[in-house]
Amino acid sequence: MVQILLIPGRVNVTKVRGLPSMFQNQGLNPMKIREYSLCATLVVTASVGIVWAGSQPATDQPPTTPAAEQTAPSEVLFRNVRVFDGVGPALTGPTNVLVRGNLIAEIGPRATAGPAARVIDGTGKTLMPGLIDVHVHVIFTAMKMSQLLSPDLTNARADEIAAVQAEAMLMRGFTSVRDVGGPSFTLKRAIDSGKSSGPRIWPSGPPLSQTSGHSDMRLPGEPSRRFTGQMSRAERMGAGWIVDGRDEVLAATRENLRLGASHIKVMAGGGTSSEYDPVDVTQYTLDEMKAAVEAAEDWNTYVTVHAYHPRSIRRAVEAGVKCIEHGQMLDEDTMRLLAEKGVWLSLQMLRESSPDMTELRREKRRPVIEGQKKVWPMAKRLGVKLAWGTDFLFEPELNAEQNSNLLLLKEWFTPAEILKIATHDNAQLLALSGPRSPYPGTLGVVREGALADLILVNGDPLADIDLLADPAKNFAVIMKDGTIAQRSPNTLFAESVFAQAVRPATELSKEFDQATCPCEALHLH
């Protein structure tokens, strides 16, 4: 089966380069498709994977090469650009930035390149580090719940669907992400090898959960592995480990590290998306938590935990955890503890509601939503190490809001502070993985010797931070690892996943009611 995603623009489909004749066999007659305005992109999936077919505009301009197929030139010179370096509160004066290979080689008005270099005029533009999102779930953000629950879904198919969203994420300017729960290893390898296009991924692998914990994703009819010897379907898919006691926690942590985890994710408290997993509960004993920390530290990396409230966070800090995900219900005393211990707080701006959310979930979510407007300014005032991420799940249509979600911080932070959080500061959290980082080098800054993950912005984002909300219009160049991934406005990128990519889970409807199931929404928030 071939699925086609047409993104409206100006294109005569008869001129699409490489349009396979099989489309005729699928009932698609190019002669009957009207001409759109601007440009278009075809996204085609088949059983072999994902193929991106570039389109040729009606103006007969040459098509843009897809990001995954581009070969980085030996040198790229950004000429006459102003620079936001990821740290300072102001832009530099006009200068030149030379990229050689995958590194920033030289910065300064005298920086020049060889005759074979690609020269990009940056007059009136700003060069800044690539954006970083430190709380994503690259697999779970790509699909709706019905797709994830479908008995037809395989890991290979999930990777195929998620690859589309990974491409779109890169084209929004996010050159690096930290995946904090899910089976992202295969997609990461595909991106790193150039088979797929997407951001750098720091993966945690399946999060660790106690029985009845926040990543216990069993359906109501699935008994415990401890009593049956059989893993749940979610565990087999790599969505989480249900492990109890020190020995099982050690084994699961080491298994994730064997698979290539850059850090370890542990569920230390309740969540808002499940009915039997109350927000106020504390999960894992101190000894169990220490087991994960010890195993991670033996591999020179760290543990981050899902937790909202003070009791679960204090226990995690006592165990030696280096980062807290969420924390929207923190009190000031516990926030001071984070500052004193140098523990990172990875915060989000979670949505209050969505069309699929039940009234019970909205009620459970209320204290979290109320708290997040308090913790951001509190953390800033107390000097806590702050990071930002989105944590979009099971609603692929939300992914297009990734950039605008960052702008919600305008209530408490200046444009320069927002950009620093999403570049330099988030990169510092990524660096906490130490030798387990899959990408050696310096990120989050425009500095000689740093990795060349860059965005060339049309205009000045410090004067108008809202420029970030429309990357298709305002990001002239997106560069990852020295390779240009997008040139605006000639490149149009996909912001949609394949609807109905797998059939709905109708077979599960008798035993699974999304409105009442304790596993609703896989309760990962």
Side-chain angles (χ1 to χ4, degrees):
M1 175 181 179
V2 174
Q3 300 184 21
I4 301 170
L5 171 63
L6 283 176
I7 302 177
R10 182 168 187 78
V11 64
N12 187 328
V13 179
T14 61
K15 295 183 180 180
V16 174
R17 177 175 295 182
L19 181 68
S21 59
M22 66 179 175
F23 287 164
Q24 297 281 358
N25 299 331
Q26 295 293 329
L28 173 63
N29 185 349
M31 299 303 295
K32 293 184 180 180
I33 297 182
R34 63 186 177 87
E35 185 171 283
Y36 293 93
S37 57
L38 295 181
C39 58
T41 298
L42 286 175
V43 183
V44 181
T45 60
S47 59
V48 296
I50 294 180
V51 179
W52 291 83
S55 65
Q56 189 170 14
T59 56
D60 289 331
Q61 296 177 2
T64 301
T65 304
E69 298 177 6
Q70 293 183 11
T71 301
S74 58
E75 290 185 331
V76 176
L77 179 65
F78 293 93
R79 188 171 58 194
N80 200 33
V81 295
R82 301 184 71 189
V83 173
F84 171 72
D85 65 3
V87 181
L91 303 183
T92 69
T95 190
N96 297 340
V97 177
L98 175 64
V99 173
R100 182 176 295 122
N102 70 335
L103 299 177
I104 299 172
E106 187 178 356
I107 301 174
R110 297 185 179 181
T112 57
R118 178 173 182 176
V119 178
I120 298 174
D121 182 20
T123 303
K125 298 177 173 62
T126 301
L127 193 68
M128 60 172 281
L131 296 170
I132 301 171
D133 187 334
V134 295
H135 195 121
V136 304
H137 304 274
V138 292
I139 301 298
F140 299 138
T141 194
M143 288 176 281
K144 291 184 176 293
M145 180 56 57
S146 60
Q147 294 172 304
L148 287 163
L149 291 173
S150 170
D152 290 347
L153 183 67
T154 63
N155 283 104
R157 182 61 176 142
D159 290 335
E160 185 179 75
I161 297 169
V164 179
Q165 287 293 358
E167 168 89 7
M169 194 176 293
L170 175 61
M171 299 309 177
R172 288 192 291 271
F174 286 89
T175 53
S176 296
V177 298
R178 188 177 62 139
D179 187 283
V180 283
S184 61
F185 295 117
T186 301
L187 177 59
K188 176 191 176 298
R189 286 193 294 269
I191 292 171
D192 291 346
S193 67
K195 295 178 181 178
S196 294
S197 180
R200 305 173 189 265
I201 297 176
W202 274 253
S204 74
L208 278 61
S209 170
Q210 67 179 46
T211 298
S212 77
H214 195 50
S215 255
D216 185 341
M217 305 178 194
R218 288 174 295 157
L219 297 175
E222 289 185 289
S224 169
R225 170 180 51 83
R226 182 175 291 272
F227 306 125
T228 65
Q230 296 184 355
M231 278 188 176
S232 64
R233 180 174 182 267
E235 288 177 285
R236 294 195 304 272
M237 293 287 290
W241 297 121
I242 304 172
V243 288
D244 296 284
R246 183 178 182 85
D247 290 348
E248 287 194 349
V249 169
L250 284 172
T253 301
R254 290 166 178 166
E255 179 68 9
N256 279 357
L257 293 167
R258 183 186 75 88
L259 293 171
S262 63
H263 60 284
I264 299 297
K265 171 76 172 292
V266 174
M267 300 304 194
T272 68
S273 302
S274 59
E275 296 189 12
Y276 68 73
D277 185 28
V279 176
D280 64 284
V281 304
T282 300
Q283 297 173 10
Y284 277 126
T285 65
L286 181 61
D287 183 57
E288 289 171 314
M289 192 82 68
K290 282 183 175 180
V293 170
E294 290 166 6
E297 288 185 346
D298 283 347
W299 277 57
N300 298 306
T301 187
Y302 70 100
V303 171
T304 189
V305 298
H306 162 105
Y308 286 114
H309 59 80
R311 185 171 186 265
S312 59
I313 291 171
R314 284 181 172 275
R315 177 177 292 179
V317 172
E318 184 180 355
V321 163
K322 300 298 185 184
C323 183
I324 307 297
E325 308 296 321
H326 309 307
Q328 281 91 338
M329 298 170 67
L330 274 167
D331 58 25
E332 186 158 328
D333 286 344
T334 307
M335 188 74 80
R336 290 184 185 277
L337 177 66
L338 298 186
E340 292 169 4
K341 297 290 187 179
V343 175
W344 281 86
L345 179 60
S346 172
L347 265 174
Q348 306 79 38
M349 287 297 294
L350 301 178
R351 294 171 66 93
E352 183 175 352
S353 183
S354 68
D356 297 331
M357 193 176 295
T358 65
E359 185 57 38
L360 178 59
R361 284 182 62 199
R362 290 190 185 96
E363 186 64 28
K364 290 180 62 181
R365 204 175 184 85
R366 186 167 290 116
V368 174
I369 300 301
E370 292 173 352
Q372 71 184 3
K373 291 192 174 183
K374 301 175 184 177
V375 294
W376 279 103
M378 185 194 305
K380 179 182 179 180
R381 173 169 55 85
L382 296 177
V384 172
K385 293 181 178 179
L386 263 178
W388 164 87
T390 48
D391 194 22
F392 293 152
L393 287 166
F394 317 126
E395 296 178 279
E397 63 276 10
L398 293 184
N399 294 328
E401 300 179 16
Q402 189 174 21
N403 298 60
S404 58
N405 183 273
L406 175 62
L407 302 184
L408 296 176
L409 302 185
K410 289 190 297 183
E411 185 173 352
W412 311 289
F413 298 90
T414 67
E417 289 170 336
I418 291 172
L419 292 183
K420 180 174 179 288
I421 289 172
T423 56
H424 170 272
D425 294 356
N426 277 1
Q428 294 300 299
L429 176 53
L430 296 181
L432 206 61
S433 293
R436 299 290 78 75
S437 173
Y439 312 99
T442 301
L443 286 168
V445 292
V446 182
R447 181 185 300 161
E448 291 181 0
L451 292 169
D453 285 14
L454 302 165
I455 303 173
L456 186 63
V457 182
N458 293 323
D460 179 358
L462 296 189
D464 183 8
I465 190 70
D466 289 337
L467 291 171
L468 271 63
D470 192 350
K473 177 182 177 182
N474 299 319
F475 290 178
V477 172
I478 296 171
M479 174 179 280
K480 174 196 162 192
D481 205 39
T483 298
I484 294 176
Q486 176 197 6
R487 284 184 300 168
S488 179
N490 294 326
T491 300
L492 182 68
F493 57 86
E495 276 294 1
S496 302
V497 293
F498 300 137
Q500 307 298 323
V502 292
R503 64 189 177 90
T506 52
E507 291 81 358
L508 300 176
S509 59
K510 292 183 180 179
E511 64 171 313
F512 187 87
D513 179 0
Q514 289 192 21
T516 59
C517 174
C519 302
E520 181 184 12
L522 298 188
H523 48 84
L524 281 175
H525 276 304

